[in-house]
Amino acid sequence: MDMNPDTELMKLALRQKCPKCGIGNLYKPGLTLNLADKCDHCGFDLAKNDSADGPAVFLIFILSFLLVPLALLVEVWFAPPLWAHVIVWTLVALAITVGLLRPIKAYVIALQYKHRSSDWEE
């Protein structure tokens, strides 16, 4: 049974691997958003990537669609003090941002490689 190509791209993004071979690491070691210059498995030139602000914009949409309704529901159901809202939603937003920014950037890069592979050619 063949997987949906979009599902494969999502798996690739979650693993944060090279869009060409799916094996080499996409990012430099450590908790950084810096891409490796070349894939450590196939030698693919990752420096040609330009994901620009796309990943950050997607993350802003995800955060706003998740956090605003949740904050409103918490206010209606529990009515916590304002300082509690500030602490809770700041921590939640930071956790989601740190947890999702690398996979979202990897997904945007994989989409660019799939749909605009001519931009990556030498």
Side-chain angles (χ1 to χ4, degrees):
M1 170 175 165
D2 290 333
M3 296 290 293
N4 181 348
D6 292 330
T7 304
E8 289 298 319
L9 284 179
M10 279 296 226
K11 285 182 179 180
L12 185 71
L14 289 174
R15 291 186 351 252
Q16 301 167 21
K17 299 296 182 182
C18 170
K20 184 174 183 181
C21 69
I23 298 172
N25 291 321
L26 187 61
Y27 294 103
K28 291 180 179 178
L31 291 176
T32 178
L33 287 174
N34 296 330
L35 292 178
D37 295 326
K38 293 189 179 287
C39 173
D40 54 5
H41 182 261
C42 68
F44 184 60
D45 186 10
L46 296 168
K48 292 183 179 181
N49 166 63
D50 182 21
S51 63
D53 293 334
V57 171
F58 289 138
L59 192 55
I60 289 168
F61 285 134
I62 291 169
L63 285 172
S64 63
F65 285 120
L66 285 176
L67 296 186
V68 171
L70 283 175
L72 291 172
L73 288 172
V74 167
E75 176 61 30
V76 170
W77 289 340
F78 304 110
L82 184 58
W83 63 266
H85 275 293
V86 171
I87 291 171
V88 168
W89 300 116
T90 299
L91 292 175
V92 170
L94 284 172
I96 292 173
T97 300
V98 169
L100 288 182
L101 194 52
R102 283 175 58 122
I104 289 175
K105 184 174 180 176
Y107 185 64
V108 169
I109 291 169
L111 283 172
Q112 286 176 338
Y113 180 75
K114 177 184 176 186
H115 295 290
R116 293 189 337 198
S117 59
S118 61
D119 291 354
W120 296 73
E121 294 173 2
E122 296 177 18

